Amino acid sequence: MVTLTVINCCVFRLGSGDVGVVQPTLSLLPPSRVELEQGRAALLCLATGGFPSDWKLGWKVGGSSRSAGVSDSPGVLGKDGTYSRSSALTLPADQWRK
């Protein structure tokens, strides 16, 4: 089984030392049993409450950046002035189980 140290949902800030930077809260949802039985594993990372808007989510698998099988949502501005977004990573079930 893969742990968060192997598959990470990481936040990258693109700006330089901005005052008032708020790191988003990350939540990682693991694949369902049904997905695993169907041979795939979809992980979903929800990032909420980040500021400013110039940050992105990225995945690492086995310590290496991963873009294949990744689907990202655009950032959404919340009523509180912070930004939220999500990113999904789909892997073969056997890779998740390693």
Side-chain angles (χ1 to χ4, degrees), residues 10 17 26 30 32 36 42-43 45 47 49-52 55 58 60 65 69 72 74-75 80 83 85 87 89 91:
C10 305
L26 302 179
S32 70
L36 293 172
L43 293 88
C45 180
F51 185 84
W55 52 274
K60 288 188 177 184
S65 293
D72 295 321
D80 63 356
Y83 293 85
R85 56 178 40 100
S87 182
L89 171 64
L91 300 168

Side-chain angles (χ1 to χ4, degrees), residues 4 8 15 31 33 35 45 51 61 71 74-75 79 86 89-90 96:
L4 287 178
N8 296 300
R33 179 172 292 167
E35 285 179 312
C45 180
F51 185 84
V61 177
S71 176
K79 291 180 181 180
S86 65
L89 171 64
T90 302
W96 168 255

Side-chain angles (χ1 to χ4, degrees), residues 7-72:
I7 295 181
N8 296 300
C9 184
C10 305
V11 176
F12 299 98
R13 204 169 44 104
L14 300 178
S16 60
D18 298 335
V19 176
V21 171
V22 177
Q23 293 293 328
T25 300
L26 302 179
S27 299
L28 184 64
L29 305 176
S32 70
R33 179 172 292 167
V34 172
E35 285 179 312
L36 293 172
E37 289 171 357
Q38 293 173 351
R40 69 177 194 279
L43 293 88
L44 179 64
C45 180
L46 304 173
T48 58
F51 185 84
S53 64
D54 62 350
W55 52 274
K56 293 183 180 181
L57 294 170
W59 292 92
K60 288 188 177 184
V61 177
S64 299
S65 293
R66 175 80 175 250
S67 59
V70 173
S71 176
D72 295 321

